[in-house]
Amino acid sequence: MALKTALLKDSPEGIAKAAAVLASGGLCAIPTETVYGLGADARNDQAVARIFEAKARPHFNPLIVHLPSLEAAEQFAVFNDAARALANAFWPGPLTLVLPLREGSGLSPLVTAGLESVAIRMPAHPLAVSVLRAFGGPVAAPSANPSGKISPTRAEHVLGGLSGRIEAILDGGACGVGVESTIIGLTGAPVLLRPGGLPAEAIEACLAAPLAAQDAHAAINAPGQLASHYAPDALMRLNADAAQSGEVLLGFGAVEDAAINLSPSGDLVEAAAALFHALRELDAQGVRKIAVSPIPMHGLGAAINDRLSRAAAERP
Ligand code: TXA
Ligand code: MG
């Protein structure tokens, strides 16, 4: 089921086509000043699920949301004084801010991996800005490489890794910065979550304060955060053929009596897109025990099972 990946040119038509691909729920790689990003509409669960599928990511780590202005960014995140100072000083540019998610943001929970924070950045590449403006919405974009491979800094690198898996690549030549953005966590005291294209010293000078250092991956895997944001309140039992007494069934495929079925047709992209909504919904209903149908391990099944086994394991 390989797609024909279109190579779009740096032209008004290329920009319009890239925006149209995003608007239709497709995947389009776009150049930024750091690396090429694999873009999708950050409000569209199915489109965001396809990012993980195309990259063959074995787990759902949160993605950066790209926006063309501070004004647009404020619709999705809550900015405090430090956040606004950094945005004013360094945006557009290779700086990502992790901020409290704004209530009612409309972002897919797959973008934030169910967290209550969101990573936002305003890229400086003129083509990226043009596509963001033409599209007119938030674009989720991890680096446009298969999981575990080196980030792409030219359209040919993207083609080499993702051809046949995404709708389009907008060719903007070589990326100027060549390494990913610096990520600063601002949900508490400012912390350096990932060193990157903007030197930490410049950020410390702007804040007139030192940055604590913390690995982004360690941060989002910290048990406290996982317990409060990742796990449903209900107990989970995985690989269940049917619900036992006192359980409700979170189904997958052709099963009977599911309270919610992640994908009756057994489509793993559809199931990934539905996963976080389903867990939240069952929690909202006050469900105490969730039995989950077996989910195959191929494709997005690996990431879904990773997420489910964390939810099943984490109990304070
Ligand atoms: O330069 C870049 O930042 C590129 C271009 C395309 O913009 N994007 C990029 O995305 O490097 P990605 O998905 O490869 O890396 C995103 C990083 C991950 O390490 C993730 O853990 C972290 O951002 N992240 C995203 N949301 C987060 C959150 N709410 N809390 C903590 N870390 C977060
Ligand atoms: Mg990456």
Side-chain angles (χ1 to χ4, degrees), residues 34 37 57 62 64 66 98 117 119 121 142-143 180-181 183 194 220:
T34 58
R57 267 199 181 174
I64 297 172
H66 297 68
V98 174
S117 56
R121 111 174 173 89
S143 49
E180 286 92 344
S181 60
I183 305 181
R194 179 178 76 183
I220 56 175

Side-chain angles (χ1 to χ4, degrees), residues 273-296:
L275 180 64
F276 286 96
H277 292 287
L279 294 177
R280 268 179 202 270
E281 174 60 24
L282 293 175
D283 258 356
Q285 290 174 12
V287 167
R288 307 295 294 273
K289 290 183 181 168
I290 304 172
V292 189
S293 297
I295 314 273

Side-chain angles (χ1 to χ4, degrees), residues 32 34-38 57 61-64 66 96 98 111-112 115 117-119 121 141-143 179-181 183 193-194 216-217 220:
T32 81
T34 58
V35 300
Y36 277 74
L38 180 55
R57 267 199 181 174
N61 48 343
L63 306 175
I64 297 172
H66 297 68
T96 295
V98 174
V111 169
T112 54
L115 295 166
S117 56
V118 59
R121 111 174 173 89
S143 49
V179 296
E180 286 92 344
S181 60
I183 305 181
L193 294 174
R194 179 178 76 183
H217 207 247
I220 56 175

